[in-house]
Amino acid sequence: MANLKEIRNRISSISSTMQITSAMKMVSAAKLKKAQDAITAMRPYSDKLTELLQGLSASLEGDGGSEYADKRPVNKVLVVAITSNRGLCGGFNSNIIKQSNNLVSNTYPGKQVDFYTIGKKGNDILRKKHTILGDQSKVYDDLTFEHVSEIAELLMRLFTKGDYDKIELVYNKFKNAATQIVMTEQFLPIVGAEGDEAIAADYIFEPSKAEIVKELIPKSLKTQLFKAIRDSFASEHGARMTAMHKATDNAAELKEELTLTYNKARQAAITNEILEIVGGAEALNN
């Protein structure tokens, strides 16, 4: 059994850890509320815009369709891995790394698969085994549509120039504070709606359907990427809040066990001292 001083030091260390994890939990909870409100407000607009553009693009295939819908034989793939800049958020980052490696090994075996990372954690790990085309970890310092638009424009240029035949997004979709869903979403080429999903309503297009699609598709792609990063941002704080909550609970349980061990050791030490005193007194009497 460890001596009393060692146990006291461990209890003190765990108490300090509990203060840190509890503080991190509260910070993430505060940030989560704002991030959750942002992604919840954005999803209906993003989903409706994507639905509209998919239907319009499908109706234009073979008749002035967008360059962003150009389907080519897939030989070169760019995977945009969206992670966080910091750890201590459970399996948030490791799930993205695992899915990214799965794309290389199982989905695109024998193909050239490069990565574009958003988030320091993904960049640090993926660069060890794969080619990193670029990193945008600083986007979280000022997460605005304008900054994300610059990344989206770069990705669109890489596709239209033929540098890559397909671009995929890998990110955590926010469901709730305890649940994040790993998503693999095709960014380019645009996936057109099929069958009954295509636009069937009787719309009047002015100036023309082709010009509207040409104008709206870049905006739709920028919105799609912004939504993915917003989803990941909210998921990160949800995952960290949950992880820190569990860490605080585990620390409290360990502290309770150590306190019990300390009390037992202290009681045993006091008992031994009493026995020594009594034994010494008896020896003097005899």
Side-chain angles (χ1 to χ4, degrees):
M1 181 181 292
N3 61 45
L4 293 176
K5 183 177 179 181
E6 291 176 347
I7 297 175
R8 280 200 305 269
N9 289 340
R10 291 188 64 188
I11 291 175
S12 177
S13 176
I14 291 172
S15 297
S16 298
T17 301
M18 283 179 61
Q19 292 178 348
I20 295 171
T21 56
S22 180
M24 291 182 67
K25 172 189 171 183
M26 290 187 289
V27 170
S28 291
K31 291 183 177 180
L32 172 62
K33 180 63 170 65
K34 184 177 179 180
Q36 182 179 352
D37 290 344
I39 188 60
T40 301
M42 183 180 180
R43 273 181 184 163
Y45 170 77
S46 176
D47 293 342
K48 191 63 180 178
L49 182 61
T50 300
E51 177 188 334
L52 176 65
L53 266 296
Q54 284 180 345
L56 287 171
S57 298
S59 67
L60 283 173
E61 286 184 0
D63 183 24
S66 171
E67 59 184 338
Y68 301 115
D70 184 18
K71 295 180 181 178
R72 306 186 287 261
V74 178
N75 294 312
K76 296 180 291 184
V77 180
L78 181 64
V79 177
V80 182
I82 304 174
T83 57
S84 67
N85 286 339
R86 297 185 298 144
L88 297 177
C89 46
F92 175 84
N93 291 312
S94 59
N95 289 337
I96 297 299
I97 303 301
K98 181 179 179 180
Q99 178 61 14
S100 298
N101 288 325
N102 181 60
L103 287 175
V104 176
S105 303
N106 301 325
T107 308
Y108 302 110
K111 310 291 185 183
Q112 177 187 333
V113 181
D114 297 335
F115 286 87
Y116 194 94
T117 58
I118 298 175
K120 187 175 182 295
K121 290 298 180 180
N123 180 61
D124 291 345
I125 297 175
L126 290 171
R127 68 188 302 180
K128 296 177 181 178
K129 292 184 178 180
H130 308 290
T131 301
I132 304 297
L133 185 68
D135 174 58
Q136 285 290 343
S137 300
K138 294 182 179 180
V139 72
Y140 293 115
D141 297 340
D142 186 17
L143 185 53
T144 62
F145 184 78
E146 288 72 21
H147 289 164
V148 174
S149 295
E150 295 175 3
I151 304 173
E153 288 171 359
L154 171 62
L155 298 177
M156 288 186 275
R157 285 197 301 270
L158 291 171
F159 179 78
T160 54
K161 288 193 303 181
D163 292 347
Y164 292 96
D165 304 312
K166 193 174 186 180
I167 299 178
E168 300 262 30
L169 305 179
V170 180
Y171 65 97
N172 282 292
K173 181 178 180 180
F174 178 80
K175 183 176 181 181
N176 53 53
T179 306
Q180 298 82 39
I181 304 170
V182 178
M183 300 290 293
T184 301
E185 193 173 277
Q186 183 169 316
F187 185 68
L188 287 167
I190 294 172
V191 180
E194 298 179 358
D196 295 336
E197 295 181 4
I199 296 294
D202 186 15
Y203 290 113
I204 298 175
F205 299 98
E206 179 65 34
S208 70
K209 186 186 295 185
E211 290 185 46
I212 291 174
V213 169
K214 184 179 180 180
E215 181 72 22
L216 287 183
I217 280 183
K219 182 177 182 180
S220 175
L221 290 171
K222 293 173 184 178
T223 303
Q224 181 184 358
L225 180 61
F226 187 52
K227 181 182 74 69
I229 296 176
R230 275 286 188 190
D231 251 318
S232 180
F233 188 64
S235 297
E236 175 193 349
H237 291 302
R240 183 171 290 110
M241 186 185 76
T242 302
M244 291 301 98
H245 175 73
K246 291 180 179 179
T248 303
D249 288 348
N250 291 338
E253 183 179 345
L254 182 57
K255 180 181 178 182
E256 184 177 343
E257 292 176 359
L258 284 173
T259 301
L260 181 61
T261 301
Y262 174 80
N263 290 335
K264 287 181 178 179
R266 184 168 176 271
Q267 185 177 11
I270 293 172
T271 302
N272 287 334
E273 289 178 3
I274 293 174
L275 290 175
E276 288 175 1
I277 293 170
V278 172
E282 289 294 329
L284 291 174
N285 291 333
N286 293 330

